[in-house]
Amino acid sequence: MRYLGIDYGHKKIGLAISDETGSFAFPYQVLPNTPKLLEEVKKICEQEKIEKIVIGESLDLSGVANEIQKDILIFKEKLEQETGLVVVFEREFFTTWEAKRIIDEKQNDKQTDARAAALILKSFLDKDTSKNS
């Protein structure tokens, strides 16, 4: 099963894709958050034969939804309608910061959001026991 990971942001969306076995997560692309975003993600899902989408759930350390989580939920619902795919949440904490720290590059690295999406997706894949469902 092939997965798409998403790190949602108000300005940019980081995307990551798993391998065909659902074992590894790779940074894929960063897209601007524009009105054409859903259309672009749907096209990627079709081209890459994505079967399930994992999107970062933005909660604070006490488990309370961050301000952006409301927008993520709206995006998730629209994504499910547009693609017909199951979209699940994976909790994320400091993934953008971690992506920057791991590669030790400047904060304006253009692939940081895709790397953060890969961290979200990898977290999901590492604990997913139902890869064939």
Side-chain angles (χ1 to χ4, degrees):
M1 177 178 282
R2 197 150 204 210
Y3 297 82
L4 177 71
I6 298 177
D7 180 36
Y8 183 90
H10 285 130
K11 294 180 182 177
K12 298 180 286 183
I13 309 299
L15 301 176
I17 293 184
S18 76
D19 64 322
E20 291 82 7
T21 67
S23 300
F24 300 99
F26 304 97
Y28 183 74
Q29 188 174 8
V30 177
L31 297 174
N33 191 345
T34 67
K36 292 187 176 192
L37 179 63
L38 283 171
E39 180 183 317
E40 292 178 50
V41 173
K42 181 179 178 180
K43 185 177 177 181
I44 289 167
C45 287
E46 291 168 356
Q47 288 174 340
E48 299 296 338
K49 298 178 176 62
I50 300 299
E51 297 177 61
K52 194 173 202 177
I53 300 172
V54 179
I55 188 168
E57 182 177 37
S58 185
L59 305 176
D60 67 20
L61 295 175
S62 63
V64 176
N66 289 320
E67 187 176 318
I68 195 170
Q69 183 60 27
K70 182 176 128 183
D71 295 331
I72 293 171
L73 183 57
I74 292 167
F75 179 70
K76 176 188 179 286
E77 291 171 357
K78 289 179 180 179
L79 196 54
E80 288 172 327
Q81 292 172 354
E82 277 294 313
T83 64
L85 298 173
V86 173
V87 180
V88 297
F89 282 124
E90 176 65 21
R91 283 192 174 187
E92 64 152 316
F93 296 102
F94 307 114
T95 52
T96 300
W97 178 85
E98 182 70 9
K100 289 176 185 176
R101 187 189 69 77
I102 288 171
I103 57 172
D104 195 31
E105 290 186 15
K106 296 182 287 183
Q107 288 191 1
N108 64 355
D109 173 50
K110 293 179 180 174
Q111 289 300 307
T112 298
D113 296 299
R115 289 184 180 100
L119 290 170
I120 292 166
L121 182 56
K122 183 63 177 154
S123 174
F124 175 82
L125 295 175
D126 283 349
K127 62 186 173 190
D128 183 29
T129 58
S130 60
K131 290 180 180 162
N132 295 318
S133 59

